């Protein structure tokens, strides 16, 4: 293998002069025939980790990807860098029989080095049969978090990939890649793919150039958005809204205010969507107002701000969407508007789903709410969520609203003691919502069922309001006294540190809004 000339190969095939981040080590690991698990933020250059090996190795690689648009982007890119279109192909549900036959011919004659397959197509017996006769170099699973129900984009067919490959009788290395993986999701991926031996390549999720800000959403939110855009004249920005209707409304309002904006959502026809996307990419317009349908695979380096008119349904989505700002390393302002009404709207959507989907969706949403309400460094909160320790607040003082305008710090040693005690006395099986209710002395059916309203501690924390208790729980979790058992839908448990605290109280203070507490 040409290990020592990888740089030259990169230049020869793609014209890039050097590798980004850990690309080279990842590629080497794959070329050695070993399994790899790559966890790196969006824009880090994950695709190259399988694109280059596909071209170098004998045979055809199989790349599973969840979205036709993502596959198409890459096929165009690979074909653009090659003399032959046959170098890369896609197999998904949109192909005609004749097109599939052509793809199969190119694969069998070794012209195709990389074959993108939608997970739904991969499980088809005809394809499995075909793959038996192909020399496959390796299997890549892009957006691997789709494997886990605990991710934000679960796709049932993703869970069958390993089984399918086993059926083709190939023993090939696997590389899984994702930009969003909480510790629980990571574990699921390794287990489902049976690659517990995989070498893990994890890059920090810290995006140092992004500024995070959350504002309470008032009825003047549109005015605030217009003001913000006018202040950032002729800069590029994305505004995310929950509904198509809101996208249309807001676009109109912006236009009335002489702001160049286009809408983007799944209700528009394909032609309009791609026209609007092009307008935004080519800078003929400054703003795209969009639902979550916009953004996957879009690589515009100079997006200067991402505004969330409504908060998203999970912190993963939020991280992905804000991640589209400042890709070039320049300024990137992430501004989210938050109101409890919006949370209730999202909860309402969830109430129509199955019990397990609802519970999971609620757990993800609650994390998002905690983020919106947290008084601590937003960067720290996000990184903690992704399982990353972050202790460099001092270097990022100017980079989020909470660090820039700190809230009041108050002593909460007694409150923490009470909290830990209640968690312990209720046998560590309650979620934040119930614990908070017990603290302030509000009943609900769960509390009722356990007759907790008669306990000595019911309502003992009523000197704080609900939102203060929420905040305290979140800060106690980040400081390591308690943990949310995510597998168990967010049930609160004591950590060793919390158990020790109950034996011996030490100073503990939290940040609270001035008016509360
Ligand atoms: P990810 O999948 O991690 O979000 P992509 O694979 O889409 O990232 O890559 C993001 C961008 O970085 C793409 O435009 C890609 O062409 C570019 N890129 C990848 N590797 C390199 C490299 N070694 N040098 C320069 N640009 C690169
Ligand atoms: Mg990618």
């Amino acid at each position: 293998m040409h290990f020592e000339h990888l740089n030259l190969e990169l230049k020869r095939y793609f014209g890039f002069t050097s590798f980004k981040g850990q690309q080279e080590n990842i590629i080497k690991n794959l070329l050695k025939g070993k399994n790899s698990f790559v966890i790196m933020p969006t824009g880090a250059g994950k695709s190259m980790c399988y694109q280059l090996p596909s071209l170098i190795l004998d045979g055809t690689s199989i790349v599973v990807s969840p979205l036709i648009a993502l596959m198409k982007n890459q096929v165009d890119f690979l074909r653009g860098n090659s003399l032959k279109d046959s170098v890369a192909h896609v197999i998904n549900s949109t192909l005609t029989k004749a097109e599939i036959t052509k793809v199969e011919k190119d694969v069998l004659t070794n012209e195709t080095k990389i074959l993108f397959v939608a997970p739904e197509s991969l499980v088809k017996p005809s394809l499995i049969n075909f793959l038996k006769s192909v020399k496959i170099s390796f299997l890549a699973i892009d957006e691997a978090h789709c494997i886990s129900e605990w991710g934000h984009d679960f796709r049932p067919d993703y869970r069958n990939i390993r089984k399918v490959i086993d059926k083709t009788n190939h023993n090939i290395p696997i590389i899984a890649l994702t930009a969003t993986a909480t510790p629980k999701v990571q574990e699921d991926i390794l287990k489902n793919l049976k690659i517990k031996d995989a070498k893990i390549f994890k890059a920090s999720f810290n995006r140092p150039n992004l500024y995070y800000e959350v504002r309470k959403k008032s009825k003047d939110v549109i005015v605030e958005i217009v003001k913000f855009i006018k202040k950032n004249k002729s800069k590029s920005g994305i505004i995310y809204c929950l509904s198509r209707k809101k996208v249309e409304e807001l676009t109109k309002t912006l236009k009335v205010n002489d702001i160049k904006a286009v809408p983007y959502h799944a209700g528009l026809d394909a032609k309009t969507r791609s026209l609007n996307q092009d307008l935004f990419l080519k800078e003929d317009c400054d703003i795209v107002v969009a639902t979550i349908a916009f953004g996957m695979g879009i690589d515009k380096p100079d997006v200067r701000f991402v505004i969330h008119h409504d908060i998203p349904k999970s912190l993963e989505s939020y991280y992905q969407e804000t991640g589209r700002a400042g890709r070039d390393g320049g300024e990137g302002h992430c501004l989210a508007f938050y109101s409890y009404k919006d949370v209730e709207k999202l909860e309402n959507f969830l109430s129509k789903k199955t019990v397990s989907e609802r519970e999971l969706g609620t757990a993800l949403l609650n994390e998002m709410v905690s983020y919106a309400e947290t008084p601590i460094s937003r960067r720290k909160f996000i990184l903690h969520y992704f399982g990353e320790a972050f202790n460099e607040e001092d270097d990022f003082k100017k980079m989020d609203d909470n660090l820039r305008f700190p809230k009041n710090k108050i002593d909460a040693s007694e409150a923490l003691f009470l909290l830990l005690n209640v968690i312990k006395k209720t046998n560590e099986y309650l979620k934040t919502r119930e614990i908070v209710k017990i603290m302030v002395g509000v009943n609900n059916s769960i509390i009722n069922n356990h007759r907790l309203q008669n306990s000595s501690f019911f309502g003992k924390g009523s000197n704080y309001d609900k939102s203060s208790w929420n905040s305290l729980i979140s800060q106690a979790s980040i400081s390591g006294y308690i943990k949310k058992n995510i597998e168990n839908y967010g049930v609160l448990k004591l950590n060793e540190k919390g158990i020790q605290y109950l034996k011996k109280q030490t100073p503990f203070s939290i940040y609270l809004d001035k008016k509360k507490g």
Side-chain angles (χ1 to χ4, degrees):
M1 212 64 56
H2 339 261
F3 281 9
E4 61 284 18
H5 303 305
L6 276 182
N7 256 313
L8 295 179
E9 303 284 343
L10 179 72
K11 179 130 188 51
R12 177 159 81 93
Y13 284 115
F14 296 102
F16 295 139
T17 44
S18 61
F19 286 105
K20 265 170 117 171
Q22 306 178 69
Q23 276 176 342
E24 187 169 11
N25 288 335
I26 297 165
I27 291 172
K28 278 185 182 162
N29 197 54
L30 183 55
L31 292 177
K32 277 188 217 154
K34 296 194 172 152
N35 296 326
S36 320
F37 187 18
V38 178
I39 308 154
M40 304 199 299
T42 303
K46 287 186 290 301
S47 340
M48 186 53 70
C49 301
Y50 55 78
Q51 286 170 343
L52 186 62
S54 301
L55 300 180
I56 292 177
L57 289 168
D58 280 343
T60 308
S61 66
I62 308 289
V63 179
V64 182
S65 174
L67 281 184
I68 294 176
L70 289 182
M71 299 191 235
K72 196 181 163 303
N73 277 354
Q74 290 198 46
V75 167
D76 291 347
F77 173 73
L78 288 155
R79 287 179 178 172
N81 282 293
S82 166
L83 294 173
K84 285 183 176 166
D85 278 0
S86 52
V87 69
H89 274 303
V90 175
I91 289 190
N92 60 40
S93 56
T94 68
L95 263 61
T96 62
K97 211 148 186 182
E99 286 168 326
I100 292 188
T101 309
K102 161 84 173 116
V103 171
E104 291 184 347
K105 185 185 140 273
D106 285 348
V107 171
L108 289 172
T109 53
N110 291 322
E111 295 210 2
T112 302
K113 302 301 301 171
I114 179 164
L115 181 62
F116 291 87
V117 185
E120 293 76 14
S121 305
L122 189 65
V123 292
K124 297 229 169 85
S126 57
L127 185 64
I128 299 178
N129 248 336
F130 169 69
L131 291 178
K132 282 183 187 165
S133 55
V134 174
K135 182 170 171 46
I136 302 178
S137 49
F138 63 88
L139 171 72
I141 295 148
D142 209 356
E143 313 290 345
H145 56 275
C146 294
I147 285 177
S148 173
E149 289 174 85
W150 296 100
H152 56 116
D153 263 335
F154 176 51
R155 290 276 287 269
D157 280 306
Y158 254 74
R159 295 192 77 80
N160 296 321
I161 298 173
R162 174 73 206 209
K163 268 182 241 151
V164 169
I165 292 302
D166 287 347
K167 275 192 203 156
T168 65
N169 303 323
H170 289 289
N171 185 11
I172 43 173
I174 294 180
I175 178 168
L177 312 95
T178 176
T180 64
T182 55
K184 172 69 188 150
V185 172
Q186 289 176 30
E187 190 189 306
D188 270 5
I189 292 172
L190 294 173
K191 205 156 133 195
N192 175 271
L193 293 174
K194 298 191 200 144
I195 52 165
K196 290 209 164 156
D197 63 331
K199 185 155 182 184
I200 297 179
F201 298 90
K202 188 166 183 199
S204 169
F205 276 65
N206 188 9
R207 292 283 312 276
N209 56 318
L210 298 191
Y211 179 83
Y212 298 101
E213 177 185 3
V214 179
R215 290 189 202 164
K216 288 250 157 67
K217 188 162 161 183
S218 71
K219 58 183 193 326
D220 293 331
V221 55
I222 307 275
V223 179
E224 282 187 59
I225 290 177
V226 170
K227 252 194 201 154
F228 182 95
I229 296 172
K230 296 247 161 166
K231 236 171 110 185
N232 289 279
K233 230 181 153 119
S234 74
K235 289 181 188 168
S236 260
I238 306 173
I239 305 177
Y240 281 106
C241 304
L242 210 55
S243 70
R244 299 171 184 182
K245 195 168 146 243
K246 189 48 86 183
V247 167
E248 293 292 347
E249 269 174 35
L250 185 53
T251 312
K252 277 198 196 111
T253 313
L254 296 184
K255 281 187 181 157
V256 170
N257 283 280
D258 288 327
I259 292 165
K260 281 193 278 176
V262 290
Y264 191 103
H265 57 72
L268 297 167
D269 61 82
K271 216 172 129 197
T272 313
R273 277 206 311 266
S274 86
L275 178 75
N276 288 355
Q277 177 175 320
D278 285 348
L279 280 173
F280 179 64
L281 294 178
K282 292 190 196 120
E283 301 185 37
D284 291 335
C285 93
D286 298 328
I287 309 290
V288 59
V289 186
T291 59
I292 49 167
F294 181 80
M296 267 274 210
I298 287 190
D299 193 15
K300 184 170 165 61
D302 61 345
V303 174
R304 297 275 74 100
F305 56 87
V306 170
I307 297 177
H308 280 88
H309 177 274
D310 312 289
I311 62 157
K313 62 187 195 320
S314 72
L315 205 48
E316 275 107 329
S317 313
Y318 176 77
Y319 182 83
Q320 285 276 338
E321 285 151 18
T322 53
R324 294 179 182 128
R327 288 255 191 122
D328 55 5
E331 171 202 11
H333 193 127
C334 312
L335 171 60
F337 288 92
Y338 162 75
S339 78
Y340 210 80
K341 250 205 201 128
D342 290 345
V343 177
E344 284 172 344
K345 250 187 239 163
L346 288 166
E347 279 175 340
N348 210 10
F349 287 150
L350 288 171
S351 68
K352 295 173 189 113
K353 304 216 163 166
T354 64
V355 176
S356 67
E357 278 177 317
R358 184 170 66 232
E359 297 261 282
L360 171 61
T362 308
L364 293 174
L365 180 59
N366 285 343
E367 289 294 334
M368 189 63 223
V369 172
S370 302
Y371 170 81
E373 289 185 350
T374 189
I376 70 158
S377 157
R378 305 224 183 254
R379 180 166 268 100
K380 187 178 177 99
F381 192 101
I382 292 171
L383 294 175
H384 175 80
Y385 183 73
F386 287 120
E388 198 174 321
F390 174 76
N391 296 310
E392 292 121 72
E393 280 116 314
D394 284 350
D395 299 335
F396 286 90
K397 280 218 164 101
K398 294 206 173 81
M399 293 308 283
D400 74 63
D401 53 352
N402 285 341
L403 286 184
R404 245 179 112 173
F405 312 105
K407 298 187 170 152
N408 262 6
K409 211 168 183 181
I410 61 156
D411 176 69
S413 314
E414 283 301 325
L416 178 66
F417 189 82
L418 181 63
L419 171 74
L420 298 178
N421 225 348
V422 170
I423 293 175
K424 189 178 157 195
K425 287 196 170 147
T426 53
N427 298 318
E428 304 181 82
Y429 64 72
L430 295 178
K431 298 177 212 167
T432 303
R433 178 192 289 254
E434 277 68 46
I435 296 283
V436 167
K437 291 207 152 122
I438 291 173
M439 288 306 187
V440 297
V442 175
N443 214 336
N444 75 4
S445 57
I446 297 176
I447 293 171
N448 221 358
N449 287 345
H450 294 99
R451 306 200 189 293
L452 289 166
Q453 72 274 30
N454 303 325
S455 63
S456 61
F457 45 77
F458 188 73
K460 262 280 164 64
S462 57
N463 54 330
Y464 290 107
D465 63 6
K466 269 192 192 172
S467 107
S468 305
W469 277 112
N470 268 311
S471 189
L472 191 139
I473 288 173
S474 141
Q475 290 175 67
S477 158
I478 284 169
S479 307
Y481 292 97
I482 54 178
K483 68 163 179 266
K484 280 185 200 153
N485 188 344
I486 298 289
E487 279 120 287
N488 207 349
Y489 306 109
V491 163
L492 295 179
K493 304 235 172 232
L494 297 182
N495 275 337
E496 185 53 33
K497 192 169 168 189
I499 296 169
Q500 290 310 321
Y501 189 88
L502 282 177
K503 290 181 189 152
K504 187 177 180 292
Q505 221 169 297
T506 44
F508 177 73
S509 47
I510 60 167
Y511 296 98
L512 281 185
D513 271 348
K514 284 194 185 93
K515 55 186 187 304
K516 299 175 205 151

